[in-house]
Amino acid sequence: MSGQNQPSVYEILDERFRTGRCAFGDDSLTTLHTGSRWAEGPVYLPAWRQLIWSDIPNDRLLRWDEVTGAVSLFRDPAGHTNGNTLDREGRLISAEQGGRRVTRTEADGRITVLADRFEGKRLNSPNDAVVRSDGSIWFSDPDFGITSDYEGFRAESEIGANNVYRIDPATGEVRQVADGFGAPNGLVFSPDERQLYVSDTRAGHIRVFDVLDDGESLSDGKVFAETSGDDGRFDNIRFDDGGRLWAAAMHGGVHCYDPDGTRIGRINVPEPVSNVAFGGPKNNILFITATTSLYCLMTSVTGAPRIRR
């Protein structure tokens, strides 16, 4: 670890990226694994000191062990899983593009289907999921997994739109909470859970919604940040504990945004970036999935708390 930064890794676009000590971690990326077709969905499991991620076209979940450095197969087939997260009990929640469903892996390995339909119609292809402190699960449902057989199975959309949904923790009811997207992708709650941020890959922006007092509904939302073709396209998004938003931007690397929406810095990655996730014992390792590879970077910032009380 070093106090120096190299332009090949960190790109400072605003002085706040420097003063916030965002560019004072590792000087270079560490490659943990390569050989995927399209890597996505990294999630760190603190109890096991392991990271699980998806290789969507190869229809498998892979597992990296932090202690030994070994990579092994976690699940094959895996329903062309895209995003992964943990619930409040530490169970794996997965958005399956091929299965067109959101699932939970139980402690004994059984898989429970949490959602596969909305108003009797099959979901498109769930992409990413996030768990709120009340136990509700919110997920995006674009059509990426049904437009071809590459990341799922080609099919017609039964719903006819790409939306964001909420699964009620008590009843299991699936309710639409936001619409009007080109392709909703990554989503994350602000550290205080008062806002939900959703990236829209096709629209080239990130929208932010206020969570209303009932904890179940959202405001109409507004654009938080935009990107262009030259900057890449937004995929998943994650917060650090300083309120900065880190966005996977494919050909644009990893973008860092100040709470006011200003892009203050960038991490350059040699492959198009799909997803990011904080992990490690101190929650200060940024794991990056990028096309064929899994990278990591020990940072000088810390991810937002994993579990909210």
Side-chain angles (χ1 to χ4, degrees):
M1 199 166 171
S2 169
Q4 301 296 317
N5 66 292
Q6 296 181 355
S8 61
V9 178
Y10 303 104
E11 185 176 343
I12 297 172
L13 304 175
D14 184 289
E15 192 61 23
R16 285 171 286 185
F17 196 63
R18 191 193 311 275
T19 58
R21 300 195 62 80
C22 300
F24 293 91
D26 285 348
D27 289 337
S28 60
L29 295 169
T30 297
T31 303
L32 300 177
H33 182 264
T34 192
S36 296
R37 272 199 165 90
W38 181 248
E40 284 253 17
V43 60
Y44 183 78
L45 286 67
W48 301 102
R49 292 189 66 181
Q50 295 179 345
L51 183 105
I52 289 174
W53 79 99
S54 307
D55 181 1
I56 306 176
N58 285 328
D59 195 14
R60 59 183 181 171
L61 290 174
L62 298 172
R63 172 174 49 197
W64 170 78
D65 186 280
E66 186 174 20
V67 176
T68 65
V71 172
S72 59
L73 188 65
F74 178 76
R75 181 175 295 156
D76 180 12
H80 295 281
T81 291
N82 190 320
N84 298 282
T85 191
L86 300 180
D87 69 7
R88 292 179 56 78
E89 286 72 45
R91 297 170 295 188
L92 182 67
I93 305 296
S94 299
E96 297 185 15
Q97 291 192 166
R100 300 173 71 171
R101 62 188 192 172
V102 178
T103 62
R104 180 178 66 219
T105 300
E106 308 295 350
D108 62 4
R110 291 180 298 112
I111 296 177
T112 299
V113 178
L114 302 177
D116 61 1
R117 294 179 182 272
F118 171 65
E119 296 183 342
K121 300 175 182 179
R122 292 191 71 187
L123 297 172
N124 293 329
S125 56
N127 183 284
D128 196 15
V130 63
V131 179
R132 202 164 181 263
S133 60
D134 62 1
S136 60
I137 298 170
W138 305 55
F139 67 94
S140 57
D141 187 40
D143 57 6
F144 297 141
I146 60 173
T147 55
S148 75
D149 292 319
Y150 187 72
E151 293 188 345
F153 301 96
R154 185 169 56 185
E156 294 295 323
S157 172
E158 296 184 14
I159 295 173
N162 299 324
N163 304 318
V164 172
Y165 300 94
R166 176 186 182 271
I167 305 172
D168 187 272
T171 66
E173 177 192 11
V174 178
R175 187 164 67 86
Q176 179 183 310
V177 291
D179 59 9
F181 298 95
N185 197 321
L187 68 170
V188 66
F189 284 104
S190 60
D192 62 7
E193 294 192 329
R194 294 179 180 177
Q195 288 87 33
L196 178 71
Y197 291 72
V198 183
S199 67
D200 188 332
T201 302
R202 291 194 180 114
H205 60 225
I206 297 169
R207 289 167 66 185
V208 56
F209 302 83
D210 290 328
V211 180
L212 303 185
D213 291 342
D214 63 5
E216 302 177 5
S217 307
L218 300 176
S219 68
D220 291 337
K222 61 182 179 181
V223 173
F224 170 77
E226 295 182 280
T227 188
S228 66
D230 293 338
D231 293 329
R233 294 176 294 150
F234 289 125
D235 203 305
N236 96 316
I237 45 181
R238 291 293 180 262
F239 273 101
D240 67 24
D241 65 358
R244 291 171 292 256
L245 186 70
W246 298 76
M250 300 194 190
H251 290 282
V254 179
H255 295 184
C256 179
Y257 291 88
D258 186 77
D260 69 2
T262 303
R263 187 174 64 178
I264 60 175
R266 185 202 318 256
I267 295 173
N268 293 303
V269 180
E271 299 180 84
V273 178
S274 59
N275 278 195
V276 296
F278 284 98
K282 296 181 180 179
N283 207 26
N284 67 339
I285 298 176
L286 185 65
F287 293 96
I288 302 169
T289 50
T291 313
T292 66
S293 306
L294 171 67
Y295 300 95
C296 77
L297 186 77
M298 183 172 285
T299 69
S300 48
V301 300
T302 302
R306 300 185 182 104
I307 301 296
R308 301 177 179 89
R309 299 298 179 185

